[in-house]
Amino acid sequence: MPAISRPTSKDVAQEAGVSQSTVSLVLGGKWSGRVSPATARSVRSAAARLGYRPNQAARNLRLGTSRTVLLMVPTLTAPFFGPVYTGAARVAARHGFGVVVSTWPDDAAGPADGPFAAPDEAIDGVLASSMAAEALGGFGETPVVMLDSGPAGRPGAPVPTVDFGVADGMRAIAAHLAGLGHRRIGHVAAAPDQWTFHARADALAEVVADLPGGVLTRAGCAIDVASAKDAATRLLAAPEPPTALVCDDDLIAAGAYKAARALGLDVPSDVSVTGFDDVLLATALEPELTTVRLPAEELGAQGMAALLDLLDGRSPAPRVLPGELVVRGSTAPPRAR
Amino acid sequence: MPAISRPTSKDVAQEAGVSQSTVSLVLGGKWSGRVSPATARSVRSAAARLGYRPNQAARNLRLGTSRTVLLMVPTLTAPFFGPVYTGAARVAARHGFGVVVSTWPDDAAGPADGPFAAPDEAIDGVLASSMAAEALGGFGETPVVMLDSGPAGRPGAPVPTVDFGVADGMRAIAAHLAGLGHRRIGHVAAAPDQWTFHARADALAEVVADLPGGVLTRAGCAIDVASAKDAATRLLAAPEPPTALVCDDDLIAAGAYKAARALGLDVPSDVSVTGFDDVLLATALEPELTTVRLPAEELGAQGMAALLDLLDGRSPAPRVLPGELVVRGSTAPPRAR
DNA sequence: CTGAAAGCGCTTACAG
DNA sequence: CTGAAAGCGCTTACAG
């Protein structure tokens, strides 16, 4: 029981002395030229007096919408996606929308009718975040905005996108390291087949290729500490080891720290380490991590704004949110040799 | 447009050659003794053939519910609450419920009609997690289950609760430390006025009081690295410093590590450190953190199950989810002196 | 055992 | 400028 039957538009109509349809017109903002300003005013004040708020279920039934948007993320346990949800939910709430979350199914390709044929609740749109390249398509008719999935998101049909400027972020890291004097760079690369990691790898490779004397090595790993430690160890065990380890994620950087220490190397005097994302972890580590801050909450907020635009029939332009290089204690000039 | 107008119960009725009300009865599970088994079977198969799924908006309108539950948490940026949401949403989805999240407003007491008078969408119930003691009440008529808020949740009216066995968890930590030979314990305590932290402090104080030669010191801090480092430094700077630092959170433990290192102390040979929660961070730190694992996802799942019980008119019994001591590398016997 | 009908609270043609 | 009415897709008395 929703707290002693809330007032309905009928109650407002009675209070204002008008018909229920007039109430709907006024409160729906479709009255100009159809209802006199005076009437509109009295309707509004009656609604305020009664504390009226429209019944969404009735509205949804009539309109055939659910005012619910699905946010799909790779995982909710990674610290990155909480803020994405928060940003999306904040904007959604302002427009009377709810957000439900779902994680990408393991079989990314999914059944023919898409990964969300299952949800009990009908859905008005999808915010697809950080999807794997092979998860393209399968969205049927549902409006979708792709987040952190690359500008080329869906080949063919153009889909609105909101992305991070990860290439620029990676270039900033590379430039920072190059400026410090590093030439031999090791890339501890996240293995998941996501656009963002491909973009990072490409940007890093370009910068190092243009660097006189630049040498890039590379080892892939899962986004967890143990796997990252293994990968970093492989890189560091090379005959001519890198003097800096560029990691695709802060968590991976934590693994790189461990690899370095296990080999008796100090961070940053023996080897510099950089992260990506700037989650809580970055300042919990010692030394604190030089990384790129990605505005996760803003990603969710702008993505939802774009989806709302799309649902209103507009075509939101692609957006790119810049990352910010945050220099802390994990980078230093390479040891002279 | 929800993907080419989905079939309605009317379509199913036509397909099965029965009336729409019969369809509703059968699919709603209220047919026994009112519809013949043969008819029921044919309705079911017609529904399956058409891929029918009931329109929630219509159902909600008719029933006066929203099939939406509000999860209130202190913050979504802490890594702990993602899993809580995940667990709650998983159970909710099985029953056709959605979950929306909201964070506790800053003015915890809130207006008379509660902190969630605002949400646009009407809600059927609330899952209130980790609430501050002063946020009690203000829920009006809405069914609520309290999570991680203590058994005494709301004085007066009994409210179903799901809690962690934090006292036992803290006792396990204290016993582990005592077994190692520690007598002087420093408690780096989370300052937020939440039940869970009071329970931890009380449990620790009891054990240490019962420990021959036991001495407990205590410093409060916010749940962030810098504040924790300050608090730990104060404790460690005492004339007779503790040989072990018990931290209320893994993030606080990270601050304690930093304090120790800044003072030239090694973890664990000079000072043992323990955390609480076992988030990602615990294995990212060096040495890896001895801590208590709290089943966060299970908290959400059991909480939702209890709320669903409550909405069905049952009175779910209080539940307590045990934590598990995970011994890793941050604890060792105190240095002989 | 089965069906016709009312009604949840909206939005939106349609009349006036 | 305003109102009476239809109808979105359900659930549930009520008749038969």
Side-chain angles (χ1 to χ4, degrees):
Chain A
M1 71 213 83
I4 324 290
S5 71
R6 304 189 334 185
T8 70
S9 60
K10 215 163 170 178
D11 298 322
V12 177
Q14 190 167 358
E15 172 84 7
V18 299
S19 79
Q20 189 256 7
S21 37
T22 299
V23 171
S24 183
L25 247 20
V26 171
L27 265 21
K30 308 199 167 162
W31 61 279
S32 78
R34 321 223 261 140
V35 176
S36 78
T39 305
R41 239 188 328 270
S42 83
V43 166
R44 267 195 243 284
S45 87
R49 231 174 299 136
L50 263 36
Y52 169 75
R53 292 217 321 280
N55 178 314
Q56 290 294 342
R59 187 154 204 281
N60 293 346
L61 175 57
R62 179 60 233 246
L63 262 23
T65 71
S66 61
R67 293 190 92 70
T68 298
V69 161
L70 177 66
L71 171 66
M72 299 201 72
V73 297
T75 167
L76 255 178
T77 53
F80 185 75
F81 295 103
V84 175
Y85 174 89
T86 303
R90 174 167 45 80
V91 171
R94 274 209 291 271
H95 297 262
F97 277 70
V99 180
V100 298
V101 180
S102 154
T103 51
W104 291 103
D106 285 338
D107 54 340
D113 47 340
F116 52 91
D120 228 344
E121 192 158 8
I123 250 149
D124 289 339
V126 174
L127 236 36
S129 182
S130 315
M131 65 198 310
E134 63 273 22
L136 299 174
F139 284 105
E141 303 292 299
T142 313
V144 49
V145 168
M146 305 217 306
L147 266 33
D148 184 35
S149 303
R154 183 151 71 166
V159 171
T161 57
V162 183
D163 286 304
F164 292 124
V166 289
D168 281 344
M170 188 53 99
R171 279 182 212 114
I173 283 191
H176 167 65
L177 255 14
L180 251 19
H182 293 275
R183 291 298 175 268
R184 292 200 312 283
I185 310 279
H187 185 194
V188 191
D193 179 23
Q194 293 174 20
W195 164 80
T196 191
F197 299 126
H198 296 301
R200 295 173 199 194
D202 293 348
L204 181 60
E206 275 170 31
V207 175
V208 176
D210 287 350
L211 194 64
V215 176
L216 180 66
T217 51
R218 188 156 191 280
C221 64
I223 305 182
D224 67 64
V225 175
S227 173
K229 182 183 175 188
D230 284 350
T233 301
R234 288 199 299 276
L235 256 20
L236 257 14
E240 293 244 22
T243 59
L245 253 19
V246 172
C247 303
D248 270 346
D249 188 281
D250 288 358
L251 199 61
I252 291 178
Y257 275 40
K258 291 188 142 181
R261 300 249 166 89
L263 293 168
L265 300 172
D266 179 66
V267 177
S269 65
D270 293 316
V271 58
S272 288
V273 175
T274 64
F276 223 101
D277 284 5
D278 196 36
V279 293
L280 241 51
L281 191 56
T283 53
L285 294 175
E286 274 179 290
E288 297 191 350
L289 187 65
T290 293
T291 188
V292 170
R293 173 172 302 152
L294 262 22
E297 190 168 334
E298 194 60 19
L299 183 76
Q302 299 245 6
M304 184 56 73
L307 185 52
L308 259 15
D309 275 358
L310 192 62
L311 292 175
D312 275 357
R314 284 174 298 230
S315 300
R319 307 174 200 202
V320 175
L321 311 178
E324 180 199 358
L325 177 67
V326 182
V327 175
R328 287 194 275 244
S330 66
T331 45
R335 195 179 279 293
R337 355 166 273 127
Chain B
M1 72 213 81
I4 324 291
S5 71
R6 304 189 335 185
T8 70
S9 60
K10 217 164 170 177
D11 298 320
V12 176
Q14 190 166 357
E15 173 84 7
V18 300
S19 78
Q20 189 256 9
S21 36
T22 298
V23 171
S24 184
L25 248 19
V26 170
L27 266 21
K30 306 199 167 162
W31 60 281
S32 76
R34 321 223 262 140
V35 175
S36 78
T39 305
R41 240 188 327 271
S42 83
V43 166
R44 268 195 243 282
S45 89
R49 233 174 299 138
L50 264 34
Y52 170 74
R53 292 221 318 281
N55 178 314
Q56 290 293 341
R59 187 155 204 282
N60 293 346
L61 175 57
R62 177 61 231 250
L63 261 24
T65 70
S66 61
R67 294 191 90 72
T68 298
V69 160
L70 178 66
L71 170 66
M72 300 200 71
V73 297
T75 168
L76 255 180
T77 54
F80 186 75
F81 295 103
V84 175
Y85 174 87
T86 302
R90 176 166 44 81
V91 171
R94 271 209 292 272
H95 298 261
F97 276 71
V99 180
V100 297
V101 180
S102 154
T103 52
W104 291 102
D106 285 339
D107 53 339
D113 46 343
F116 52 91
D120 227 343
E121 192 159 7
I123 60 185
D124 290 338
V126 174
L127 235 37
S129 181
S130 315
M131 65 199 308
E134 64 272 22
L136 300 174
F139 283 106
E141 304 291 301
T142 312
V144 49
V145 167
M146 304 216 308
L147 266 34
D148 184 36
S149 304
R154 181 150 74 166
V159 170
T161 57
V162 183
D163 285 304
F164 291 124
V166 290
D168 280 343
M170 188 53 100
R171 277 181 214 115
I173 283 191
H176 167 66
L177 255 15
L180 251 18
H182 292 276
R183 292 298 176 268
R184 293 200 312 283
I185 310 277
H187 185 193
V188 191
D193 179 24
Q194 294 174 20
W195 164 79
T196 190
F197 299 125
H198 296 301
R200 295 173 198 193
D202 293 349
L204 181 61
E206 274 170 31
V207 175
V208 177
D210 287 351
L211 193 65
V215 177
L216 180 66
T217 51
R218 189 158 192 280
C221 65
I223 305 182
D224 68 64
V225 175
S227 173
K229 182 183 174 186
D230 285 350
T233 301
R234 288 200 299 277
L235 255 21
L236 256 14
E240 294 245 23
T243 59
L245 253 19
V246 172
C247 304
D248 270 345
D249 188 280
D250 288 358
L251 200 61
I252 291 178
Y257 276 38
K258 292 187 142 180
R261 300 249 167 88
L263 293 169
L265 301 172
D266 179 66
V267 176
S269 65
D270 292 315
V271 59
S272 287
V273 175
T274 64
F276 223 102
D277 283 4
D278 196 37
V279 292
L280 242 48
L281 191 55
T283 54
L285 294 176
E286 275 180 292
E288 297 192 350
L289 187 64
T290 293
T291 188
V292 170
R293 173 171 303 151
L294 262 22
E297 191 168 334
E298 195 60 20
L299 181 77
Q302 298 246 5
M304 184 57 72
L307 184 52
L308 259 14
D309 274 0
L310 191 62
L311 292 175
D312 275 357
R314 284 174 299 231
S315 299
R319 306 173 200 204
V320 176
L321 311 179
E324 179 198 357
L325 176 67
V326 182
V327 175
R328 288 193 273 244
S330 67
T331 45
R335 193 179 279 294
R337 350 168 275 125

